[in-house]
Amino acid sequence: SQTQVDALKLAGVVSDDDSIRHYFQERSIETITEIETLQALSRHEGFMPCEGYQLEPSEDGLGFDIYMLSPYRRSLERQFTKRPFTQLDAINLGMDICSALMACRRNGFLFVNLKPNNIYLTPNGEFKISDLGFLNMGNLKYATIPSQYISDYTAPEMKDAFATPNTSIDIYALGAILYSVYNGGVLPSVDADVPPAPQYADEELAAIIV
């Protein structure tokens, strides 16, 4: 958008149309790399691929539009509103997403965009991740989390624009999701050093989640 372009000019990142075009081209390549990472990880446990993608120059010729094609899937967020979660649902959710995050890490990435609307329930009852949010673990000390990946499930320290990502942020996000499942949709307070136990979890599960 023009607002983005103006902000980049003000920050001295770009100066003319060529540098603007080059900047957005680099960002587009990064996004395509993330899509290709999703496609590769979908061969492992816990991830679902998109069916196709396309990169097109925007109408003004400066930026790019990226399209991803996926079949309709019911997200975890929609699943919450469709019917109550059972104890078995919640246990399977935790195990399935742990498996996905382990596969992600084994391949050298964190998934820094974990939230209920990025998790989908498959027809055979598995919970899988299908979205972008991959961060190379080898680049953590030079990286920041893009603003579009910040949510209520993001570790509080990562909401500082200058914070350096750490390897616990995916664990926090999954913990926050499970806390919400076992606490009537209410997330833990970020102001508490140790949040109270989620009200519907048994003692053992509550200890794990907290």
Side-chain angles (χ1 to χ4, degrees):
S1 69
Q2 190 58 48
T3 303
Q4 289 176 301
V5 172
D6 291 343
L8 290 168
K9 286 180 177 177
L10 188 63
V13 177
V14 298
S15 56
D16 55 27
D17 284 357
D18 285 342
S19 59
I20 293 168
R21 193 174 295 107
H22 179 70
Y23 174 85
F24 284 119
Q25 187 169 31
E26 286 188 333
R27 300 293 78 74
S28 298
I29 291 168
E30 289 172 1
T31 304
I32 295 298
T33 301
E34 280 198 70
I35 295 172
E36 291 172 346
T37 299
L38 173 64
Q39 303 299 77
L41 278 171
S42 67
R43 294 192 285 270
H44 300 270
E45 198 172 356
F47 285 88
M48 298 173 74
C50 65
E51 292 192 344
Y53 60 90
Q54 189 169 332
L55 175 71
E56 293 290 342
S58 58
E59 290 183 1
D60 61 14
L62 294 180
F64 296 86
D65 294 316
I66 299 173
Y67 302 92
M68 292 175 64
L69 177 66
S70 294
Y72 173 78
R73 301 161 176 155
R74 181 181 294 163
S75 70
L76 180 60
E77 188 171 55
R78 289 182 61 84
Q79 189 71 12
F80 283 156
T81 63
K82 194 73 175 175
R83 63 173 176 82
F85 247 50
T86 65
Q87 171 85 347
L88 183 59
D89 287 334
I91 294 293
N92 286 339
L93 167 65
M95 292 177 65
D96 288 348
I97 300 306
C98 278
S99 295
L101 296 177
M102 286 170 62
C104 193
R105 206 172 273 211
R106 280 197 303 269
N107 283 272
F109 296 94
L110 296 178
F111 187 78
V112 298
N113 191 23
L114 190 64
K115 52 194 173 189
N117 62 1
N118 289 345
I119 298 172
Y120 297 87
L121 183 63
T122 68
N124 62 356
E126 292 179 285
F127 294 96
K128 294 194 175 190
I129 298 169
S130 185
D131 210 322
L132 306 184
F134 298 100
L135 188 61
N136 191 309
M137 292 178 65
N139 299 332
L140 290 190
K141 64 181 179 179
Y142 307 110
T144 57
I145 297 180
S147 59
Q148 67 266 31
Y149 295 161
I150 301 294
S151 74
D152 291 339
Y153 300 87
T154 304
E157 68 271 19
M158 291 297 102
K159 294 180 182 178
D160 178 346
F162 298 100
T164 300
N166 60 71
T167 55
S168 69
I169 55 181
D170 286 343
I171 298 168
Y172 179 94
L174 178 56
I177 290 169
L178 290 173
Y179 191 104
S180 174
V181 168
Y182 279 103
N183 201 47
V186 179
L187 285 162
S189 168
V190 296
D191 298 324
D193 289 337
V194 179
Q199 59 180 324
Y200 301 119
D202 62 40
E203 188 174 346
E204 185 178 11
L205 265 173
I208 292 169
I209 293 168
V210 168

